Each structure stands twice: as C-alpha cells, then as structure tokens.
Amino acid sequence: MIKEKTGEITLTTENIPEQLTERPQWVCWRLEVRDGKPTKVPYTPGSGRRASSTELMTWATFEQALTAYEAGEPPYDGIGFVFCGADPFVGIDLDRCRDPESGEIAPWAQSIISRVREGYVEASPSGTGVHIIVEGTARGGRTRKKVRLKGEVVGEIEMYGHGQFFTITGETL
C-alpha cells in the first residue's frame, strides 16, 4: 500500500482497479494557475514535459506514472488516467458535491452514485468532488451539465469518453 498526499486526499494505490492499472494510459499532473484559476495539468511521467489527453505517445504505464510521482523529480501533485477511444471507459466528474470534512455527499450526486452497479467511485483530490469510472460511451465523447437547485448552480456534471484525463486518488467511496 502506498499512501502519499495529493492535495486534500491521499493517494491509495491498492484501491485502483486492475482494469485501469493494466492500461498504458497514465500521466502525472501538477496543479498550476491558468487565467487566475488553479487547474490540473497533465505531464508525461518523469519527463517534465506536458502530456496531451489526445497523444498516446505522451502517456505511460501505471507503474511508470507511480514511480515518477514517488521520485518527486520533477515534482508532481498526483497521477491521472487518460480516457481514449480505444478503451471501454467513461469518466463522470461530479463537482462541488462532497463535504471534504464529513464526506457527506449532496443528494443530487448521491442519486447518481447510487445508480452505479459496476464501476469505480472515488473522491477527487480536493475532497469536494467525486469521480466515477464505468464501462460505457459518452454521446459525442463529452457532456457537461450544471446542476441547479431553486435556480442556483449547486454543482456540475461532466462526462468524458475520450480526450480527457481524470486525476486518480484511490480514495474509494
């Protein structure tokens, strides 16, 4: 078991499904500021060069990504899985739905999580979101939707089938 700090949540590698770790679709990532906002930027493990979510030659194996992350040179904030058209996976990102202190999930997000019968569900690095990885397809490869309650945006749902990466924590829910 390897537990390392990634933001607010620790990286727990033994919880990451083998169906993901056996695929060479891994990157490292760093938290950087773009347009005044923090964003997670993918890097080719151990290279110091930015990775692309559409260029498979910039990805690596799970072991290579983990080794580069643990080595800390260059320093990375975590590891991530890249979705591509050659895999059967879809990533569902639920933002602003989890209390990082209590772990309580907002009802709108819990209703989505409860429908996952076979898949992988984990807390995001910030602790305030949830990542779901299931087998399936995303219409057009990508979908975004704001969740509103009484006219106020209370969260956001994003779904990706390819051309995107998810930060991975291994902190299963």
Side-chain angles (χ1 to χ4, degrees):
M1 171 172 94
I2 298 170
K3 284 192 139 198
E4 295 291 333
K5 198 71 172 158
T6 58
E8 301 297 319
I9 298 286
T10 56
L11 175 61
T12 308
T13 57
E14 80 261 8
N15 293 340
I16 302 169
E18 186 178 342
Q19 295 94 323
L20 300 178
T21 62
E22 68 187 11
R23 301 187 75 88
Q25 294 168 225
W26 290 87
V27 294
C28 292
W29 62 269
R30 287 189 203 144
L31 195 60
E32 298 179 359
V33 177
R34 275 194 201 156
D35 301 323
K37 293 175 19 181
T39 188
K40 296 169 189 87
V41 178
Y43 281 84
T44 301
S47 73
R49 293 186 309 270
R50 287 189 177 177
S52 167
S53 59
T54 59
E55 295 276 337
L56 66 95
M57 297 306 288
T58 65
W59 312 338
T61 65
F62 175 77
E63 290 79 16
Q64 290 168 319
L66 189 59
T67 298
Y69 167 70
E70 290 174 328
E73 283 191 37
Y76 299 114
D77 293 309
I79 62 173
F81 180 80
V82 184
F83 296 95
C84 73
D87 71 45
F89 303 112
V90 171
I92 303 166
D93 187 8
L94 309 178
D95 291 331
R96 299 185 305 201
C97 67
R98 183 176 181 271
D99 181 307
E101 299 297 320
S102 69
E104 184 177 338
I105 306 285
W108 68 266
Q110 189 59 58
S111 71
I112 295 168
I113 294 167
S114 296
R115 288 185 270 177
V116 176
R117 299 287 179 248
E118 291 184 29
Y120 175 66
V121 182
E122 71 169 24
S124 67
S126 68
T128 62
V130 172
H131 292 161
I132 302 169
I133 300 176
V134 295
E135 287 192 24
T137 57
R139 193 175 318 159
R142 178 184 193 148
T143 303
R144 283 187 162 177
K145 178 182 175 185
K146 295 199 182 299
V147 178
R148 298 179 188 276
L149 186 61
K150 297 181 181 176
E152 179 182 341
V153 175
V154 295
E156 188 170 344
I157 302 170
E158 298 172 88
M159 186 182 311
Y160 304 99
H162 58 80
Q164 185 70 22
F165 85 101
F166 264 13
T167 58
I168 299 291
T169 64
E171 285 292 320
T172 56
L173 302 179

